Amino acid sequence: QVRLEESGGGSVQAGGSLTLSCVTSGESVTDYCMGWFRLAPDRVREGVAAIDSDGSIVYPTSVKGRFTVTRDYAKGTLSLQMNNLTPDDSAMYHCALAWRPNCDGFDFNRWGQGTSVTVSS
């Protein structure tokens, strides 16, 4: 069974940057969609990056141009570089996977415990 584990969260001031990392274990994830979503109190879950098995990437408008997702298919790892952070980016960030090669959005089937990001103004 695939396990996902995130790291790299923390506290940063507005305008700052953070890089989140995700490692997988249990089985190969090469053929699956992977991505990140975030959860904050009183807000709906929001996908912030999705990368297909073939490398196609999608971002929502809210983070496009500020967030960059990268994937190492051989190692089964995923990263999220976040720049120019604002307080609205504060949330628990989860690395996630979907049991299909094409993401077609941000509907994931499995995710890790998450790593917390807090951005102060």
Side-chain angles (χ1 to χ4, degrees), residues 8-20 38 66-67 80-91 93 115-121:
S11 298
V12 64
Q13 290 191 325
S17 299
L18 281 174
T19 300
L20 307 183
R38 62 188 179 187
R66 300 189 298 123
F67 289 15
L80 185 69
Q81 172 69 42
M82 307 185 296
N83 297 325
N84 195 21
L85 287 162
T86 75
D88 284 344
D89 294 315
S90 297
Y93 283 74
T115 185
S116 180
V117 172
T118 301
V119 184
S120 58
S121 58

Side-chain angles (χ1 to χ4, degrees), residues 21-76:
S21 298
C22 173
V23 294
T24 65
S25 61
E27 64 179 84
S28 172
V29 296
T30 300
D31 296 331
Y32 301 125
C33 155
M34 291 194 71
W36 295 87
F37 68 86
R38 62 188 179 187
L39 278 168
D42 300 323
R43 295 175 66 178
V44 298
R45 180 175 121 169
E46 181 185 22
V48 296
I51 179 167
D52 291 351
S53 62
D54 68 357
S56 299
I57 296 172
V58 175
Y59 303 101
T61 303
S62 59
V63 308
K64 188 175 284 187
R66 300 189 298 123
F67 289 15
T68 302
V69 63
T70 56
R71 182 172 179 176
D72 188 319
Y73 290 85
K75 295 181 179 178

